[in-house]
Amino acid sequence: MPHPSPRLSFTFADLGSARSSPAVHEQVAGLIGRYPALTQPELERLAGMFPRLTALDMSMMMADADLSAKLEAFCTTHRALLRPSAADLAVIGAILSLPILILATIILTGA
């Protein structure tokens, strides 16, 4: 007769950290529902919450008949707010080029 293990073989404790919270989804859906009648601070807050949304959150909003047109309009109109800045791209480029520079240094010095 098998005995239950005192500890679980799989833990899902970290799974919640990869998801956006339901509160973020509700806030974004509420703001999108009111779009385009948003103030500038609300637009900035909405754009700031976008990176925290999961694909499931976006899919749920795109499947909603009331939200999908407003979501598309927001993303089209405010595309610049949703893209990474030039400084962000420069940092990513520097991080990605670091291993290449290290490898080139090793090859050129013969170490």
Side-chain angles (χ1 to χ4, degrees), residues 79-80 82-98:
R79 186 167 297 177
L82 302 176
R83 288 189 180 152
S85 68
D88 292 339
L89 294 175
V91 168
I92 292 169
I95 291 170
L96 292 176
S97 66
L98 185 62

Side-chain angles (χ1 to χ4, degrees), residues 35-99:
Y35 183 79
L38 298 176
T39 64
Q40 188 62 31
E42 288 174 326
L43 284 172
E44 291 170 2
R45 193 172 99 211
L46 178 59
M49 286 190 278
F50 253 72
R52 297 181 2 213
L53 292 174
T54 64
L56 179 61
D57 293 330
M58 291 295 291
S59 298
M60 288 171 41
M61 287 189 290
M62 289 171 24
D64 186 318
D66 296 329
L67 295 179
S68 63
K70 292 181 179 188
L71 178 64
E72 183 177 356
F74 172 76
C75 290
T76 302
T77 305
H78 301 285
R79 186 167 297 177
L81 290 175
L82 302 176
R83 288 189 180 152
S85 68
D88 292 339
L89 294 175
V91 168
I92 292 169
I95 291 170
L96 292 176
S97 66
L98 185 62

Side-chain angles (χ1 to χ4, degrees), residues 3-9:
H3 297 286
S5 174
R7 59 188 181 130
L8 296 172
S9 59

Side-chain angles (χ1 to χ4, degrees), residues 7-51:
R7 59 188 181 130
L8 296 172
S9 59
F10 296 101
T11 64
F12 296 102
D14 293 335
L15 193 58
S17 63
R19 297 183 189 159
S20 71
S21 70
V24 171
H25 173 79
E26 290 173 13
Q27 288 177 16
V28 171
L31 289 170
I32 289 293
R34 291 183 25 234
Y35 183 79
L38 298 176
T39 64
Q40 188 62 31
E42 288 174 326
L43 284 172
E44 291 170 2
R45 193 172 99 211
L46 178 59
M49 286 190 278
F50 253 72

